[in-house]
Amino acid sequence: MNGTQSQGITLLLWFLGGLYALAAASLYSVAGLCMPRMNVDGVELGVPRSGGELNYIRYIFERQWKNSCLPSCIFGIAFVLFAHVSGNTLAFGQSVFAAADRVPTNGEVRGVAIVATTLACVMHSISRRAGIWLSNILAVIKVIILVMMIAVGFCAYHGIFGEQDTNDLSPEAAFTNVTVSPYSFANGFLEILFAYAGWNHLNMVLSEVKDPRKTFKRTLPAAVVLVFILYMLVNVVYMLIVPKEIQMRQNTALAFFEITLGRTAGATASRRLLNALMAISSLGTIIVVTFTTARVKQELAKEGILPWAKFFGSSYDLSWRRLFKMIRGQKAKPSTLQETPVGALVLHWASTVFTILVTWPLDLTSAYSLLVGISAYLFAALFPTVIAIGVLYLHLNSRVEWSSKLGGFSSSQSFIPAIAVAIVGLFPIIMEWIPPSGYWEAEFPWYSTPLISWAFIVLSIVYWFWIRYKFGHRQGKFLMIERDPHFSQEDGYPVLDHEIVRMRRIHERELSAVFVL
């Protein structure tokens, strides 16, 4: 509302964000099952594997750069630095203190944020099953919270909590006094895309999904549709119950709780309840994102573009049962079923803590806005748009014969969503560069989100040139990666179960190209 100053435009942006999430999920369903392509028993097939966008960027673009790892570097550096939960951990810390009805210091909130990400990383390191189990429970709780808010909103609309004025959402009233600032529209839309984020997380852990060809096609669209409906209904009841003037100057969710439940339980109790629910929601996001993004960072390490790639790319069995046996002096052989990406989780923890600390000079609201803005700009807008344009290229390039590689998908199932994602995704990417009209309230410049995002894109290109110079031109060495994939059969199709990756730098004269840096 602060960006659009219109209830109607705000609802339209939420609707457009939901359509964008549906189109992106459809596009990623095709990409997840058709990219990358691997040779299985002499036949080239699309093999589901973890890694998400990394796999699609490699498949689409690295062929154009003669197997250069430049596309992986561009995506990978940004992902390592900004695909984390620092914004969510700050929100979690603020909600915890607000639920306890206590005003914290900046350092106390950031301390809780660091503890939260540390506990999430430790849990995922010692128990893969516990992380999945807790993620599922918190996801169900988040859905219940949204349903409860919708029910409370419609009860309030029908006067259950006493007589109150409701807003007029007719077109004449809902679309008055609309802002003319493209930046405000784009900034608000990025926040909406961040709220819808999650449609791509299943792609990040596809190797760990049981029977992905069945589950993926059915589960991903259903989940996105459910979230789409719930978010739209929640925003409708917000617009009906909370006066526009209040939405413009304070937290809409807080005002909603005070207007509804606050009339019976009191303003303080309703405020504490809201923050407790928000803490649970943030914790769920922290648990899930830590689990999924660590798998992508492990795949990045396997590309050899990160320092200490062997550590970051390996999995280890640190299960509590094995640790207890070792403490008691018993033999405890590692189990592949209990292995977790410990190195990648360490990397994830380090990047999260780094961004929590580096934003210390900013107030908590500004730090959250900046971190969320960069994350949404890169991973909800920029990279999905790049992948969509790449898929359109595959469709239009007759030499690729992409339509013949789609398996059970029709061409329209990837072509139409790719057009939609490319068009809609370009809107915030471009409009974030247009100065906002009016007063800018945050403690950082208005152009910080796109500037920092593109600065690290440029930095990743510089990093790639440095690697080439250090090893290729200066030492005459190239990185050779040998992969030994092991497949399992699910529903008659191969799925990458695990792979053994061997990396070594060899001299140019020894090169038998598998992968050239």
Side-chain angles (χ1 to χ4, degrees):
M1 278 293 296
N2 284 333
T4 65
Q5 299 181 9
S6 163
Q7 295 166 314
I9 294 296
T10 300
L11 287 175
L12 284 179
L13 286 179
W14 275 98
F15 186 77
L16 181 62
L19 293 181
Y20 177 86
L22 283 170
S26 178
L27 176 65
Y28 275 43
S29 294
V30 177
L33 299 179
C34 300
M35 305 179 199
R37 305 190 68 80
M38 304 178 72
N39 192 302
V40 182
D41 297 329
V43 180
E44 185 188 76
L45 297 171
V47 179
R49 67 173 295 161
S50 299
E53 289 96 334
L54 174 65
N55 296 321
Y56 321 141
I57 288 174
R58 286 189 61 224
Y59 179 82
I60 295 171
F61 296 105
E62 286 188 355
R63 295 183 178 189
Q64 312 308 316
W65 276 279
K66 298 180 181 180
N67 285 337
S68 165
C69 71
L70 176 59
S72 294
C73 276
I74 292 175
F75 172 77
I77 300 303
F79 195 89
V80 168
L81 293 173
F82 296 111
H84 45 59
V85 291
S86 53
N88 299 102
T89 57
L90 291 176
F92 174 75
Q94 288 180 287
S95 297
V96 166
F97 283 107
D101 201 21
R102 181 169 176 268
V103 179
T105 64
N106 184 24
E108 287 175 332
V109 171
R110 293 178 190 273
V112 170
I114 293 173
V115 170
T117 192
T118 301
L119 292 177
C121 290
V122 170
M123 181 190 66
H124 285 308
S125 296
I126 63 176
S127 178
R128 173 181 173 273
R129 187 174 300 174
I132 296 174
W133 178 77
L134 185 57
S135 297
N136 291 337
I137 290 178
L138 291 173
V140 172
I141 293 175
K142 290 173 73 171
V143 171
I144 293 173
I145 291 172
L146 292 173
V147 172
M148 181 202 72
M149 293 175 67
I150 294 166
V152 168
F154 282 110
C155 286
Y157 181 73
H158 288 92
I160 301 298
F161 301 102
E163 293 296 327
Q164 61 184 36
D165 295 331
T166 56
N167 296 322
D168 181 9
L169 292 184
S170 64
E172 295 79 9
F175 291 91
T176 57
N177 300 321
V178 180
T179 183
V180 294
S181 171
Y183 178 89
S184 297
F185 274 57
N187 206 46
F189 190 58
L190 277 183
E191 293 179 358
I192 291 172
L193 293 186
F194 183 80
Y196 277 111
W199 48 263
N200 58 341
H201 281 257
L202 193 56
N203 294 69
M204 299 181 186
V205 294
L206 208 49
S207 295
E208 304 190 36
V209 176
K210 184 178 180 181
D211 197 358
R213 292 190 178 275
K214 276 188 176 180
T215 305
F216 198 45
K217 289 182 179 180
R218 179 178 66 250
T219 304
L220 183 59
V224 175
V225 168
L226 175 62
V227 172
F228 185 11
I229 294 172
L230 292 176
Y231 279 2
M232 286 304 305
L233 289 175
V234 167
N235 279 279
V236 167
V237 297
Y238 280 172
M239 299 303 168
L240 286 172
I241 302 302
V242 182
K244 179 179 178 180
E245 297 74 21
I246 295 179
Q247 294 184 49
M248 295 290 294
R249 65 173 185 264
Q250 75 175 77
N251 184 297
T252 302
L254 177 59
F256 172 79
F257 268 68
E258 289 177 346
I259 291 172
T260 56
L261 299 179
R263 293 196 173 189
T264 56
T268 300
S270 63
R271 182 176 64 251
R272 294 180 69 177
L273 173 61
L274 170 65
N275 282 285
L277 296 178
M278 290 175 64
I280 293 172
S281 178
S282 296
L283 180 61
T285 303
I286 293 167
I287 298 295
V288 171
V289 173
T290 299
F291 181 87
T292 56
T293 55
R295 269 64 183 176
V296 181
K297 291 169 185 176
Q298 183 181 43
E299 294 299 319
L300 281 166
K302 293 178 183 178
E303 298 298 309
I305 63 175
L306 300 179
W308 307 295
K310 183 178 179 180
F311 172 70
F312 292 138
S314 298
S315 294
Y316 305 89
D317 180 7
L318 296 183
S319 60
W320 61 271
R321 291 182 179 178
R322 182 167 181 254
L323 292 176
F324 283 161
K325 287 183 178 180
M326 294 173 64
I327 292 172
R328 291 196 298 264
Q330 300 176 357
K331 291 184 178 181
K333 294 182 178 180
S335 169
T336 56
L337 296 177
Q338 299 296 330
E339 288 183 345
T340 57
V342 176
L345 285 165
V346 171
L347 180 61
H348 176 83
W349 177 87
S351 62
T352 302
V353 172
F354 173 76
T355 48
I356 291 173
L357 295 178
V358 81
T359 57
W360 194 292
L362 299 176
D363 67 73
L364 294 169
T365 301
S366 295
Y368 175 83
S369 298
L370 179 61
L371 293 172
V372 165
I374 295 172
S375 177
Y377 190 91
L378 287 170
F379 307 113
L382 181 59
F383 287 117
T385 300
V386 169
I387 291 171
I389 294 173
V391 170
L392 291 176
Y393 164 79
L394 295 179
H395 275 283
L396 299 176
N397 189 340
S398 58
R399 293 178 298 174
V400 177
E401 298 181 344
W402 179 240
S403 297
S404 65
K405 301 176 181 179
L406 292 177
F409 294 100
S410 64
S411 295
S412 61
Q413 285 179 282
S414 65
F415 187 75
I416 294 176
I419 293 176
V421 171
I423 293 174
V424 177
L426 284 172
F427 167 66
I429 293 172
I430 296 172
M431 294 304 173
E432 279 283 302
W433 290 103
I434 299 178
S437 58
Y439 176 69
W440 177 251
E441 297 180 353
E443 290 189 349
F444 54 87
W446 63 267
Y447 50 80
S448 296
T449 293
L451 179 64
I452 293 174
S453 300
W454 284 103
F456 277 92
I457 297 294
V458 173
L459 179 64
S460 65
I461 296 174
V462 173
Y463 176 76
W464 175 73
F465 274 111
W466 176 76
I467 294 176
R468 283 178 58 89
Y469 170 77
K470 179 179 179 181
F471 294 107
H473 296 286
R474 188 175 178 182
Q475 299 180 12
K477 293 182 178 180
F478 294 86
L479 176 67
M480 187 172 75
I481 299 179
E482 297 174 328
R483 300 179 183 270
D484 182 14
H486 294 259
F487 303 98
S488 60
Q489 293 289 325
E490 296 186 14
D491 196 32
Y493 292 94
V495 176
L496 183 65
D497 184 60
H498 66 279
E499 65 179 349
I500 300 172
V501 180
R502 301 178 182 88
M503 303 179 192
R504 59 193 180 101
R505 294 199 178 272
I506 61 175
H507 198 274
E508 185 176 8
R509 61 176 177 268
E510 303 175 78
L511 186 63
S512 55
V514 177
F515 184 94
V516 178
L517 192 63

